[in-house]
Amino acid sequence: EMYGNILCSGARVVLQGYVSTDSFEFWATNCRLLRSSWRLSAVRQVLDLLHEGKFAVDEAADALKLSRGFGQAEDIANGTTTVTERQWMASELTQSLQGENSRVGKITSSMLQSLDSFAYARDRYPVEKVNFASQLDSTPVVTSSLQSNGSPLRTFPEGSRWQRAKKPQLKFMIDQIGTVLRSHPEFGQRKLKVVDIGGGRGLLSNLLAETFGDDTVEVQVVDISRSATYNGMMRAKRRGLQNIKYDALDATTLDVTGVDVVVALHACGALSDVALGHAVSQGAGFVICPCCFLSNPHLRVSMPSDKNSHELADVEEWLKVEPDRYRQLKQLAELQGDINTAAIAMHTICGLRAIAADKLWDNSRWPTAGLHTSIKTFPVGFSTRNLCLV
């Protein structure tokens, strides 16, 4: 039963037992895991079994390809790791266990050519790693007079998905948004208008409104889902927030006149381009974390047609790429079982978006200001979609 839970795609195993020549059945009497599957659930199960003393130390060290080998596995078996530490370890091990042999799907020579042809985008915008580990146990400073009792972030048990992934992502976003807000030419002189595209339930925007306060920001959350915006609005009311509003609208045709900063956390597919297009058209700052690169291909992006107007364009036109090439990049970004190749494709797409933003950004509102675009990354333990356009 134990092995049945961890033997999945990508695992290598030796089975010993007896073969019945009459019925062609195999009766397994012994099993050894040679290499663990790269899938997160399987890796976490092996680590937990090792911690509980139910898995052989040497077998786990070999199967997980632990960097410190037997000694590291022995530490885990001796109970020196917490649930959260094992979950972080599992997130890192899933990367080291992936490669060509674990890849689900096929990479064609044409796909590789597409990656090579856009290498200039990666060179122009290298990924900047944010050292966020020291901030994981801290809570953003709340400047609002409407501060709720305790932390503005919810509390969950140690090891929960909220504690190990969602909460750190929100803190990362708040930190980046704070940097962009402070860079605004009129920061501290008036309220800055922030629009959250696809913000739904308001996990980010409620925290944003509460963290920076009434005097600094007014926040608008836009999502196509009425139920999501209703839930977010009710959360905001319970927190007593007055500087945030929720609208169930189509982000594509949204009127963003006067917006100062556009944010989006895990904006699926072309929704990231929609958010970025709105920021560019208004000369606004942005903090956009993309996700699910194959999603929402039908969405169109606002881009300038002349000095005084904008028009909706296909994503490929906005990025100035051939549709077939871009489709291949998106497929590679969603590649399963080969996180290294997928990461290169995600970086490429973000680089193309950064090029479009720098080229089309409207500086008429702030003639003396400029745009500096970067691609930042947070730890993959938070999410495998860990790139952010800032």
Side-chain angles (χ1 to χ4, degrees), residues 266-287:
H266 295 312
C268 289
L271 189 61
S272 291
D273 298 285
V274 171
L276 191 57
H278 283 319
V280 167
S281 69
Q282 295 296 309
F286 49 84
V287 180

Side-chain angles (χ1 to χ4, degrees), residues 84 87-88 91 132 135-136 138 140 152-157 159-175 196-207 223 235 264-268 289-292 378-385:
T84 300
Q87 288 166 336
W88 271 93
S91 297
F132 198 63
Q135 305 177 42
L136 290 181
S138 64
L153 288 175
R154 294 184 291 175
T155 57
F156 281 80
S160 67
R161 183 177 180 276
W162 171 266
Q163 287 287 352
R164 74 175 188 272
K166 199 63 179 179
K167 178 180 176 181
Q169 286 181 61
L170 293 177
K171 289 184 176 182
F172 170 87
M173 290 293 288
I174 290 295
D175 184 56
D196 183 353
I197 301 295
R201 298 178 297 159
L203 295 179
L204 172 62
S205 282
N206 284 346
L207 179 61
D223 197 290
R235 286 190 175 97
L265 176 57
H266 295 312
C268 289
C289 180
C291 185
C292 306
F378 50 81
V380 74
F382 301 168
S383 171
T384 55
R385 301 293 181 264

Side-chain angles (χ1 to χ4, degrees), residues 120 273 276 314-321 326 349 352-356:
Y120 65 88
D273 298 285
L276 191 57
D314 293 333
V315 171
E316 293 80 5
E317 181 181 354
W318 142 258
L319 295 178
K320 296 292 187 275
V321 295
Y326 190 56
I349 293 173
L352 292 172
R353 287 168 170 166
I355 289 173

Side-chain angles (χ1 to χ4, degrees), residues 138-144 147 152 174 207 210-213:
S138 64
T139 300
V141 176
V142 179
T143 58
S144 170
Q147 180 177 356
I174 290 295
L207 179 61
E210 191 167 21
T211 299
F212 297 104

Side-chain angles (χ1 to χ4, degrees), residues 201-339:
R201 298 178 297 159
L203 295 179
L204 172 62
S205 282
N206 284 346
L207 179 61
L208 192 162
E210 191 167 21
T211 299
F212 297 104
D214 283 12
D215 297 334
T216 303
V217 294
E218 54 180 356
V219 183
Q220 179 186 13
V221 183
V222 176
D223 197 290
I224 199 70
S225 170
R226 290 189 179 277
S227 62
T229 53
Y230 176 78
N231 288 337
M233 179 181 64
M234 295 307 294
R235 286 190 175 97
K237 285 184 176 181
R238 287 194 294 270
R239 305 190 84 82
L241 298 174
Q242 301 294 323
N243 58 334
I244 188 169
K245 68 174 183 176
Y246 285 79
D247 294 306
L249 297 170
D250 180 357
T252 304
T253 55
L254 181 68
D255 181 5
V256 292
T257 303
V259 66
D260 295 297
V261 178
V262 176
V263 303
L265 176 57
H266 295 312
C268 289
L271 189 61
S272 291
D273 298 285
V274 171
L276 191 57
H278 283 319
V280 167
S281 69
Q282 295 296 309
F286 49 84
V287 180
I288 298 170
C289 180
C291 185
C292 306
F293 291 85
L294 288 168
S295 298
N296 297 318
H298 61 285
L299 295 182
R300 293 165 66 81
V301 184
S302 175
M303 59 183 295
S305 57
D306 55 47
K307 281 190 175 183
N308 299 315
S309 65
H310 296 82
E311 62 181 8
L312 294 178
D314 293 333
V315 171
E316 293 80 5
E317 181 181 354
W318 142 258
L319 295 178
K320 296 292 187 275
V321 295
E322 296 178 8
D324 286 344
R325 291 287 193 194
Y326 190 56
R327 176 179 51 79
Q328 291 176 334
L329 286 179
K330 292 189 292 182
Q331 289 173 337
L332 288 172
E334 292 298 322
L335 192 65
Q336 299 295 305
D338 188 352
I339 197 170

